[in-house]
Amino acid sequence: MLKFWSQIGLFLQVVLVVVAVVAFSLFDPFGWLKSKKLTLEDTPISVRSIREVGQLISAEYYGEVLTSLQESMVADIAENRSEDSITFVQLKQAFDEAVYDLREQKSTIRLKGFSQKKKLYALFYHQYSVTSHPFYQAFVHEMIDKKDASGNALRIGGKKIKSEKNLLKLLYDLDDKEIEPALESLDIGYPEMEARFREEVEVITGNKQFRKRQIVVLGRGWVKAGIDFGTFSEANFRYDKANRTIHLIGMHPEILRSTINPWFIPEKQIKGFEVVLITRRAKKPEYMQIVKKRTLQKLRQQAIQSGILHKAKENAEANLKSFFSLLIPEGIEEVVIHDDFFSYFDASFVSDTLTAATMRSIDSLFVSRYRTDSAAVVALRDTLKNRRVYLEERAYPANRYASRIEMAEDGTLDRQEMNWLQNERDQLVRHLALLQTHGKSNFQPHLLDSVWFFPGSEKVEVFREEVRKAFPTSFSWRKVISKHPDYVENQRKKRDRMRILVHEFMLKQKMTALDELTVELRNHIHQVVNGEVTYLDSTLALPGSTTNLENQSFEWASSQQMEALLPLDSSGIHSLKISTKPSTVTLSKTHAAMTTLQETWPVDQEKVLQKRNEILDSWTVKYAVNDSAKVSGYYLMRSYGQDARLDSSETKALLREFKALQEANSYLHDLKLSQQSRPLVSQQNDLLHHILYYPSPSQLDSMEIMVKDRRYWATAKRKRTLQKRYREVLLQRYIYRKRRQDFNVLLNELFPLVEEVMWEGVLYRRSNGVFGSLPADLHFLRRGKPYNM
Amino acid sequence: MACQQEEDQRYLVVSKVKSAAKLATTETIIDKVVLGTQEKKLLGFVKVNKAHFAAYTQAIITTGVDLSKLQPSDIVIDEKRIELQLPAVEVLDFSYPFDRYRIDSTITQNKFLNKIDVLDHEQFYMMAELDIRNNLKYTGIKEATQSKTRILLEGLLKNLDYEEVYVTFRDGQLIQPISLDYEIED
């Protein structure tokens, strides 16, 4: 018995010692295990990057906020819920559009027989991408579970919503006047989202683990706001000298940085993050991150609520005014910062008058902004419809061609302006003719055409109705889902028809606008240059190479000749008046002619080739007073030599063409008839080269003889296919040879004109008539070594 | 005394929006590896063990000039020639963002009864911030900022039709140095 008790006693002593050690380790009442002060090892700092910025900090906010971990977690739920709200609103819009679109197809899609709900459901999922959104299912369940105002299940058309298939069928079958209220009643609004949010918060805050974790932090930091000039360019800067006002456009005040550092003011030992309270279970880095993030957000919100952005804009305008006043001797009256060009134009419209120059700026704005901000562009366009563009004492409506009214400012229509007018009308007439006679359209509207002439929603609806009536065929839902060729062809025809209707509408509008411009020009013009002849108003008398038409004076505005001149005869390619006598033409006229040839090629190749021959035989392009050259496929590159310098882009273009011809040479050399030939290396002006160097009929006949005469065909299989390939190869080789010849001629003509060549940041100068040190890539430019391929 | 000190500290942080006129031209990103240790000793001299902490951090320093210090006498204009003496380049914003701290879990190691917790992490970050501040002058940021500011202003002045542009800077400190001779409170 004694032994037993002594063993128990020993055991108890051991346990006591262990407990004492553990107790001292955990609680350490005498500080025997106190840690040494924390030591930071001496590690270097290294500069990762230094980059240029351009920011004006014009307002600073210093503040402090109190945040807790539990508050941060609940705030996260609220943020997610508000993001979900936005997503649901967007989903609802997409869903509504899909339902309207599906209902419009009732005449095209047949839904008969059994399982109509299932067919409709399959069709909906097949056609509309809204169904593949990650939140779509949650969104649909919200709609199905929705209650009406009295708390009962929502009904559509008097019927309960049992499932998604059921919902789609109900919406599909509703009358037209019932669909809109039905879709509105399905909106997922604030009460539903708020109820869901409260549910989630109750679940999370009721959790015991959640209640045991808490961190409370006092955060001190700053928020700085100002203007970021990172994307600033000349386009954003306008200096109004008359009013001594600087306009900065597209600049807006923003929060540049918001910071809470470990130290708020290190000199005074004031911490940035002061931990007021922390529980044992919350001592983890990830919880600390959540709290810090929330603290910074709150600081930022506080700064915005204090009006930091408004102050930043005010201060920026004042600071820049002071700064520019120091730099500009005459001083600056005001600096104004505009959010975008729309607000700039709104501010600068002091009266109802506009100038052609302003309209030009507005045109550029429309072109640059239409794709990203079409609503704002359309809104500005609508305000412009009430404005007038003034020229002398006449007012001209602000429209697509308003910027062109400046052609009349000098009272003369010169060749370039005349060419533009003729080409513009020719193109419109050609496109309209194609549409109306052949039912085809190759009209590619300019963005400005879309801005000014695209039909409004009502007109589009009329066109849609017309297309529906023109193609009344309906298809079974299976054919729709399986994309049956008949259905696909039907859809394609509908789309083409719609496009033709829209293009026809736009072209007619454009023609009307051009007519308005022409009428205005007539009212202002006293002198017109057409070809080689200048026509004058008979009341003027000037010496020189001008002539009154048929020595008769005529009333300018009502003259039949004037009617014929403005516009000229506009029946497509025939309007391109070519004289068989040698004539010197401008580069712009040549360009216009080449463009016309390319556009007409798909429609009438014979006529194009005829005109081409006339151009090549009789035209000489004038580049400068003592510089002209025959027309070739390189007529544009020929202008490179005018400033005696090849800049980087010009050198690059020449090198690119050189390499393209090299590649074509190798390709054609190695080509075998057993392989299908491909077009030569694609260049922007390949069609032009094809037209200009296309063989004459006699040359084509010779090629045909070569094709037919080969003994090879006697034993060859697939003779016709091979002959066809051979024909193509001969044609390609012919065009390539002509092109190469003309390129050599270009180089020989360019070389004497050029004194400097810019390439990869290095300027090479000619010395004693020779470019000695050109890099190997550019050796083809050197004189004395005509290029042989 | 402690209450008074707290009051002083509270007075310094007043939530308000202040005006500023600072032209920031350069942003520098600096890497700093925070390597810390915590030693556990018995009775103050018997080493028990050592815990380690490592984190990769970055600081973002924005530098430029304070335009509010520019005086009319700093600008001399002679027709198409302009001489501009700008104030000394300085640190306009020092940011040591917590979202760029990455703790290295392979080096960070707690020991028996010697744990480095989140409060200790904050101490390390505070020490690291002071270290970065005091070593900024050796990084070459000042010269880089002067160069970029000069380029920016020369471009601007040439757009205002000046043909000869001369930009110089006054001498001054890039950043106030911080003395490390104080205790970090536990």
Side-chain angles (χ1 to χ4, degrees):
Chain A
M1 192 70 173
L2 203 63
K3 203 177 177 184
F4 172 75
W5 281 113
S6 69
Q7 277 173 354
I8 291 285
L10 182 63
F11 176 73
L12 283 173
Q13 280 171 43
V14 166
V15 166
L16 202 66
V17 166
V18 166
V19 164
V21 167
V22 169
F24 269 109
S25 307
L26 284 175
F27 302 108
D28 194 10
F30 302 115
W32 289 346
L33 286 172
K34 193 173 180 176
S35 310
K36 195 181 173 202
K37 205 193 305 184
L38 296 167
T39 312
L40 183 74
E41 303 295 332
D42 194 12
T43 55
I45 64 170
S46 62
V47 176
R48 176 180 275 262
S49 65
I50 300 180
R51 74 176 184 105
E52 207 174 294
V53 297
Q55 294 169 348
L56 178 67
I57 301 170
S58 52
E60 292 171 343
Y61 174 86
Y62 295 87
E64 61 182 10
V65 291
L66 193 68
T67 320
S68 71
L69 176 64
Q70 288 174 359
E71 175 207 336
S72 305
M73 286 171 134
V74 169
D76 267 347
I77 299 170
E79 267 168 28
N80 288 342
R81 187 46 60 185
S82 78
E83 277 169 21
D84 289 350
S85 301
I86 294 166
T87 308
F88 277 16
V89 164
Q90 289 166 346
L91 270 174
K92 183 66 177 31
Q93 277 171 0
F95 179 81
D96 287 356
E97 280 168 17
V99 166
Y100 279 121
D101 194 66
L102 186 68
R103 286 167 57 86
E104 272 177 23
Q105 294 181 65
K106 272 186 188 172
S107 57
T108 316
I109 303 170
R110 291 195 303 270
L111 272 182
K112 287 182 181 173
F114 299 106
S115 307
Q116 286 187 23
K117 271 189 245 175
K118 196 173 153 189
K119 290 171 189 173
L120 191 66
Y121 177 79
L123 204 58
F124 190 78
Y125 267 72
H126 169 76
Q127 289 197 318
Y128 303 107
S129 57
V130 63
T131 54
S132 56
H133 194 283
F135 286 172
Y136 177 72
Q137 294 303 323
F139 161 74
V140 165
H141 285 124
E142 288 281 352
M143 281 199 295
I144 293 169
D145 293 342
K146 198 172 153 108
K147 305 269 184 276
D148 61 19
S150 26
N152 301 323
L154 192 66
R155 284 173 181 261
I156 300 288
K159 295 178 186 166
K160 260 192 198 171
I161 308 170
K162 293 174 198 164
S163 64
E164 190 187 347
K165 286 180 192 165
N166 175 242
L167 172 64
L168 286 171
K169 189 72 172 64
L170 288 171
L171 291 171
Y172 187 75
D173 290 338
L174 279 178
D175 286 338
D176 286 342
K177 55 180 184 292
E178 288 175 336
I179 184 66
E180 199 176 324
L183 284 171
E184 262 178 41
S185 68
L186 287 167
D187 281 344
I188 309 296
Y190 177 75
E192 289 83 15
M193 302 311 293
E194 191 58 23
R196 292 272 176 187
F197 167 65
R198 275 198 295 272
E199 245 177 67
E200 269 186 58
V201 168
E202 273 168 24
V203 163
I204 199 165
T205 54
N207 188 308
K208 206 173 166 185
Q209 294 293 323
F210 175 84
R211 288 201 300 273
K212 284 189 178 176
R213 281 188 209 115
Q214 180 65 298
I215 304 174
V216 178
V217 158
L218 182 66
R220 301 182 188 98
W222 54 81
V223 176
K224 298 189 182 180
I227 311 283
D228 191 337
F229 292 104
T231 53
F232 187 76
S233 68
E234 277 178 24
N236 303 105
F237 184 88
R238 293 276 192 277
Y239 179 39
D240 179 359
K241 258 189 181 163
N243 297 316
R244 290 186 295 141
T245 304
I246 290 177
H247 296 274
L248 298 176
I249 304 161
M251 304 272 109
H252 43 86
E254 54 185 281
I255 304 281
L256 296 171
R257 43 190 62 80
S258 48
T259 310
I260 302 181
N261 288 336
W263 288 111
F264 181 57
I265 307 176
E267 297 89 341
K268 299 208 181 278
Q269 296 185 45
I270 300 174
K271 293 180 188 173
F273 282 111
E274 186 128 29
V275 179
V276 175
L277 166 76
I278 184 163
T279 59
R280 196 168 56 85
R281 283 179 198 248
K283 280 189 179 181
K284 287 185 182 171
E286 53 267 29
Y287 293 134
M288 190 56 103
Q289 283 289 93
I290 293 171
V291 176
K292 283 183 176 180
K293 198 172 147 192
R294 180 78 191 136
T295 311
L296 191 60
Q297 273 174 358
K298 279 176 80 168
L299 180 70
R300 207 183 144 103
Q301 276 163 14
Q302 228 175 54
I304 292 170
Q305 278 162 11
S306 301
I308 191 174
L309 292 173
H310 178 72
K311 194 81 181 158
K313 185 175 177 187
E314 267 179 19
N315 288 343
E317 286 171 348
N319 293 340
L320 288 169
K321 180 187 162 188
S322 312
F323 182 62
F324 280 116
S325 293
L326 288 173
L327 300 178
I328 298 175
E330 55 266 23
I332 291 292
E333 199 61 43
E334 201 186 357
V335 171
V336 184
I337 295 173
H338 302 275
D339 281 343
D340 55 27
F341 276 93
F342 297 107
S343 68
Y344 166 67
F345 280 116
D346 274 342
S348 65
F349 286 167
V350 288
S351 67
D352 282 337
T353 58
L354 293 171
T355 63
T358 315
M359 285 306 299
R360 227 188 3 259
S361 299
I362 292 173
D363 282 348
S364 311
L365 172 66
F366 282 170
V367 167
S368 62
R369 291 302 190 93
Y370 186 60
R371 286 207 167 98
T372 54
D373 210 350
S374 58
V377 165
V378 167
L380 181 59
R381 176 206 68 188
D382 290 339
T383 62
L384 285 172
K385 283 181 178 171
N386 298 327
R387 313 272 189 180
R388 314 290 288 169
V389 179
Y390 275 79
L391 187 64
E392 293 171 7
E393 288 169 3
R394 288 183 64 93
Y396 179 73
N399 64 16
R400 163 73 169 94
Y401 290 115
S403 59
R404 296 281 181 171
I405 197 67
E406 65 183 354
M407 286 198 288
E409 272 171 354
D410 59 359
T412 299
L413 268 189
D414 62 28
R415 279 196 197 90
Q416 204 170 354
E417 289 162 348
M418 200 57 191
N419 281 341
W420 176 82
L421 206 54
Q422 290 172 22
N423 288 331
E424 198 70 5
R425 182 167 288 277
D426 288 349
Q427 279 178 21
L428 284 176
V429 169
R430 195 176 315 121
H431 286 305
L432 272 170
L434 251 180
L435 268 173
Q436 283 158 359
T437 53
H438 299 284
K440 285 183 199 172
S441 170
N442 58 0
F443 174 50
Q444 285 169 1
H446 191 271
L447 273 172
L448 282 175
D449 295 336
S450 301
V451 170
W452 286 100
F453 305 130
F454 197 83
S457 51
E458 283 175 15
K459 199 73 191 172
V460 166
E461 208 38 57
V462 166
F463 290 154
R464 277 204 185 122
E465 192 53 40
E466 210 177 301
V467 167
R468 257 183 244 127
K469 284 183 181 156
F471 297 94
T473 322
S474 65
F475 295 89
S476 72
W477 70 282
R478 269 191 213 286
K479 280 193 176 178
V480 173
I481 288 179
S482 61
K483 290 197 180 165
H484 193 275
D486 291 346
Y487 172 73
V488 169
E489 180 61 17
N490 179 268
Q491 292 296 100
R492 187 193 63 76
K493 282 180 181 168
K494 277 180 169 174
R495 275 195 304 273
D496 287 348
R497 181 79 193 126
M498 187 71 183
R499 196 174 73 245
I500 284 166
L501 288 170
V502 167
H503 283 183
E504 196 175 11
F505 178 84
M506 288 174 69
L507 283 167
K508 284 178 177 167
Q509 300 266 309
K510 198 172 174 182
M511 185 69 96
T512 308
L514 188 62
D515 284 341
E516 280 174 8
L517 173 71
T518 311
V519 165
E520 278 311 309
L521 288 175
R522 281 192 196 133
N523 289 325
H524 286 91
I525 296 298
H526 306 292
Q527 183 169 287
V528 172
V529 178
N530 179 32
E532 297 303 310
V533 182
T534 301
Y535 296 92
L536 280 184
D537 183 338
S538 61
T539 59
L540 294 176
L542 288 179
S545 61
T546 59
T547 142
N548 283 339
L549 196 61
E550 294 178 4
N551 290 323
Q552 284 173 0
S553 63
F554 55 91
E555 289 297 321
W556 194 253
S558 60
S559 153
Q560 283 184 358
Q561 295 296 337
M562 198 54 206
E563 289 289 329
L565 279 173
L566 283 178
L568 291 187
D569 178 19
S570 55
S571 52
I573 191 70
H574 298 286
S575 69
L576 202 59
K577 292 190 190 304
I578 310 293
S579 161
T580 51
K581 294 180 203 164
S583 53
T584 306
V585 296
T586 60
L587 182 62
S588 56
K589 184 169 180 181
T590 312
H591 187 63
M594 296 297 129
T595 310
T596 306
L597 291 179
Q598 289 178 82
E599 282 174 359
T600 315
W601 179 258
V603 179
D604 195 345
Q605 293 181 13
E606 196 185 341
K607 273 276 179 272
V608 167
L609 288 173
Q610 192 187 338
K611 291 301 170 190
R612 175 209 67 180
N613 293 338
E614 288 170 8
I615 290 171
L616 291 177
D617 289 341
S618 61
W619 281 20
T620 307
V621 184
K622 188 165 183 176
Y623 292 99
V625 173
N626 294 319
D627 183 25
S628 58
K630 295 291 287 174
V631 176
S632 77
Y634 298 103
Y635 71 95
L636 273 176
M637 282 187 178
R638 182 61 177 74
S639 66
Y640 288 171
Q642 293 318 300
D643 56 358
R645 188 184 203 236
L646 288 180
D647 62 22
S648 291
S649 58
E650 289 167 349
T651 313
K652 201 172 170 183
L654 285 168
L655 181 62
R656 200 167 46 228
E657 180 64 12
F658 173 75
K659 286 194 169 159
L661 288 169
Q662 262 189 326
E663 197 199 300
N665 184 50
S666 320
Y667 167 71
L668 289 170
H669 186 265
D670 297 333
L671 188 61
K672 298 200 182 340
L673 286 181
S674 53
Q675 62 198 93
Q676 177 69 45
S677 66
R678 57 167 172 78
L680 291 177
V681 172
S682 169
Q683 294 289 314
Q684 212 156 351
N685 52 354
D686 260 358
L687 176 59
L688 181 65
H689 284 131
H690 186 83
I691 294 168
L692 289 177
Y693 305 128
Y694 197 83
S696 64
S698 60
Q699 282 155 346
L700 283 170
D701 289 341
S702 308
M703 282 183 206
E704 194 55 28
I705 292 169
M706 281 171 70
V707 168
K708 293 271 163 53
D709 202 30
R710 285 191 74 175
R711 282 178 212 157
Y712 172 77
W713 308 128
T715 53
K717 291 178 187 174
R718 300 183 299 136
K719 183 176 161 184
R720 277 198 188 160
T721 308
L722 292 174
Q723 279 182 339
K724 188 181 165 194
R725 281 185 193 166
Y726 189 49
R727 218 173 269 123
E728 283 165 12
V729 167
L730 286 176
L731 178 64
Q732 284 190 353
R733 280 182 183 159
Y734 180 88
I735 291 174
Y736 159 72
R737 271 201 307 276
K738 300 289 261 180
R739 192 167 160 174
R740 186 196 70 195
Q741 278 169 15
D742 267 359
F743 190 69
N744 279 342
V745 166
L746 168 74
L747 293 179
N748 282 336
E749 283 176 349
L750 260 186
F751 195 85
L753 302 172
V754 169
E755 292 295 323
E756 292 172 351
V757 175
M758 189 74 182
W759 182 244
E760 291 182 340
V762 180
L763 186 68
Y764 300 94
R765 285 210 173 87
R766 188 201 291 270
S767 168
N768 297 326
V770 177
F771 279 105
S773 60
L774 281 178
D777 272 350
L778 301 184
H779 280 183
F780 70 97
L781 289 174
R782 279 205 298 231
R783 190 183 186 153
K785 291 195 176 184
Y787 181 62
N788 288 317
M789 281 188 254
Chain B
M1 279 289 278
C3 293
Q4 243 181 357
Q5 196 181 15
E6 271 183 31
E7 267 180 36
D8 287 342
Q9 287 179 352
R10 291 290 302 166
Y11 177 74
L12 285 164
V13 185
V14 178
S15 300
K16 63 172 186 177
V17 178
K18 280 172 52 181
S19 296
K22 295 175 183 172
L23 182 66
T25 57
T26 311
E27 188 178 89
T28 308
I29 297 181
I30 282 179
D31 287 341
K32 168 79 180 166
V33 176
V34 177
L35 211 53
T37 55
Q38 178 174 266
E39 224 173 31
K40 202 80 165 179
K41 284 185 173 178
L42 179 62
L43 298 175
F45 60 92
V46 178
K47 284 186 195 171
V48 177
N49 55 33
K50 205 180 204 180
H52 299 275
F53 170 77
Y56 305 105
T57 64
Q58 276 185 346
I60 304 166
I61 291 95
T62 310
T63 44
V65 293
D66 188 346
L67 293 177
S68 61
K69 294 177 184 168
L70 194 62
Q71 302 292 330
S73 55
D74 293 328
I75 301 174
V76 175
I77 298 175
D78 179 13
E79 291 183 6
K80 292 291 185 186
R81 179 195 153 100
I82 181 168
E83 288 177 27
L84 181 59
Q85 188 180 48
L86 292 171
V89 298
E90 55 187 74
V91 170
L92 302 180
D93 187 71
F94 182 98
S95 175
Y96 196 31
F98 55 83
D99 55 3
R100 293 198 188 199
Y101 301 163
R102 284 189 302 115
I103 296 172
D104 189 334
S105 53
T106 55
I107 302 173
T108 300
Q109 222 177 14
N110 291 325
K111 296 286 186 188
F112 178 64
L113 301 177
N114 186 8
K115 198 176 166 187
I116 298 180
D117 63 18
V118 290
L119 297 174
D120 298 324
H121 295 175
E122 292 304 309
Q123 309 279 30
F124 283 128
Y125 296 139
M126 284 195 282
M127 287 193 266
E129 182 185 334
L130 296 177
D131 189 47
I132 295 171
R133 281 177 179 269
N134 287 337
N135 285 295
L136 273 182
K137 56 182 180 259
Y138 305 116
T139 54
I141 291 177
K142 184 173 177 177
E143 292 75 18
T145 307
Q146 283 177 346
S147 168
K148 290 191 194 306
T149 308
R150 189 176 283 116
I151 291 170
L152 178 78
L153 283 165
E154 279 173 1
L156 172 68
L157 292 168
K158 286 203 169 142
N159 276 332
L160 294 173
D161 290 336
Y162 288 105
E163 287 169 3
E164 283 181 59
V165 176
Y166 301 98
V167 177
T168 53
F169 295 89
R170 276 195 234 122
D171 282 329
Q173 268 183 338
L174 183 68
I175 189 169
Q176 278 288 87
I178 313 287
S179 166
L180 289 170
D181 294 332
Y182 60 86
E183 299 252 333
I184 293 182
E185 297 162 17
D186 280 334

